[in-house]
Amino acid sequence: MKLTVLGSGTMISPSWRNPAGYLLEQNDEFLLIDMGPGIIRQLKLMQMDLLKINHIVISHFHLDHCSDLLAFLMNRFLLQESANQSLTIFGPHNLKKWFNSHLQWQGAWLKNALPELIPFKKQTVNLGNWEIMAENNGHTTESLSLRVSNGRTIFYSSDTDYQENLIPLARDADLAIIECSLPDHLKVSGHMTPTEVSIFANKANLQRVLISHIYPQNDSPDLKQRIAREFDGEVIIGNDFLTIYL
Ligand SMILES: [Zn+2]
Ligand SMILES: [Zn+2]
């Protein structure tokens, strides 16, 4: 499996850290996780053919995770009118409601060629060969953390506070993409700090964590050390266009 980080930052990050987005590839099947502002441009910069992406997962509706989704659908429609009918989108329990709220402002291009929408109901869904397990994480009422498998397994925390109930979802994953928004002394609820990431990684028996969703206040050269203090596994600090083969 190949992972490309499209966005390792947040809304207020500098230009080299785009808001959230991750592209997974296995045997020429592509899965896009989250689409913050700028993800379309990131895909174009890496010369990705947008029509090759058939599956999308949206973790929650904060704009740094979903604001490029409708623009992405329009882009595909303009390339090929029927393109979105072969697309599946998995997302929070209120995914259809979110879509419906946008339909009135869009034309027939969206109404007449809607992608297949799969709202979170049961824990496991299959999108092509991708198996997605999801769990509400409490960041917002609809927010999900994910475990994505296709040969190899990736845990994606998305935005979340430290939550014990996510440990089984993350346990023994080949790679865990974990948000680490702010340093310990600037802890806010709904997000994780370096110490919380290390406790979580130890409890989930993780060997390899990829740190992402990094706010400028946490973005210092010692970030890796601050996590590695309590965690013996491999710590990778996320960067846009970082590619990892699993
Ligand atoms: Zn959020
Ligand atoms: Zn976020």
Side-chain angles (χ1 to χ4, degrees):
M1 194 192 294
K2 178 183 175 187
L3 161 72
T4 306
V5 177
L6 300 171
S8 57
T10 68
M11 223 49 136
I12 57 166
S13 295
S15 58
W16 61 89
R17 285 203 191 281
N18 200 86
Y22 306 87
L23 182 67
L24 298 182
E25 179 188 355
Q26 174 82 313
N27 299 330
D28 219 31
E29 259 201 281
F30 293 90
L31 174 80
L32 193 53
I33 304 178
D34 280 347
M35 294 204 72
I39 291 301
I40 296 170
R41 182 166 163 76
Q42 298 291 80
L43 289 165
K44 289 182 180 181
L45 284 171
M46 62 181 279
Q47 313 208 320
M48 178 69 202
D49 177 357
L50 302 190
L51 294 174
K52 287 189 90 174
I53 297 169
N54 282 323
H55 307 294
I56 296 178
V57 176
I58 297 292
S59 67
H60 66 299
F61 297 124
H62 280 159
L63 291 175
D64 57 321
H65 295 256
C66 72
S67 78
D68 253 12
L69 176 58
L70 291 179
F72 177 79
L73 298 182
M74 180 172 236
N75 196 327
R76 282 169 54 106
F77 171 83
L78 293 171
L79 291 170
Q80 190 187 105
E81 287 200 6
S82 62
N84 293 328
Q85 284 162 313
S86 60
L87 187 70
T88 49
I89 303 178
F90 172 73
H93 67 91
N94 47 3
L95 179 68
K96 288 185 178 172
K97 197 172 165 191
W98 185 87
F99 253 92
N100 286 337
S101 69
H102 290 283
L103 281 182
Q104 62 180 311
W105 309 111
Q106 304 304 324
W109 73 269
L110 183 60
K111 267 181 222 155
N112 297 343
L114 267 181
E116 184 187 356
L117 302 175
I118 308 174
F120 171 63
K121 272 193 213 111
K122 52 183 178 141
Q123 213 194 18
T124 304
V125 295
N126 291 290
L127 308 181
N129 289 319
W130 302 93
E131 184 191 86
I132 319 281
M133 294 174 76
E135 194 85 63
N136 282 121
N137 63 31
H139 170 71
T140 62
T141 52
E142 83 280 3
S143 287
L144 301 172
S145 295
L146 309 163
R147 182 182 180 93
V148 179
S149 303
N150 189 344
R152 308 287 273 169
T153 296
I154 289 183
F155 168 77
Y156 172 54
S157 71
S158 183
D159 292 6
T160 182
D161 209 321
Y162 177 87
Q163 296 285 350
E164 293 271 335
N165 72 313
L166 298 177
I167 289 167
L169 195 68
R171 183 164 285 128
D172 297 322
D174 296 304
L175 177 74
I177 306 169
I178 304 186
E179 76 120 291
C180 190
S181 295
L182 290 160
D184 288 349
H185 70 281
L186 295 176
K187 165 74 184 169
V188 294
S189 76
H191 292 290
M192 285 168 86
T193 65
T195 297
E196 289 169 328
V197 170
S198 25
I199 294 169
F200 183 87
N202 284 330
K203 288 197 176 184
N205 195 35
L206 298 169
Q207 307 303 318
R208 210 178 185 199
V209 298
L210 172 67
I211 302 304
S212 199
H213 203 272
I214 303 165
Y215 273 80
Q217 298 93 319
N218 204 21
D219 203 355
S220 58
D222 67 343
L223 176 57
K224 187 171 174 164
Q225 275 169 285
R226 285 185 280 129
I227 293 161
R229 255 201 307 254
E230 316 249 358
F231 172 61
D232 289 334
E234 184 184 357
V235 179
I236 304 163
I237 302 300
N239 273 308
D240 292 11
F241 300 114
L242 172 72
T243 296
I244 295 177
Y245 288 89
L246 296 164

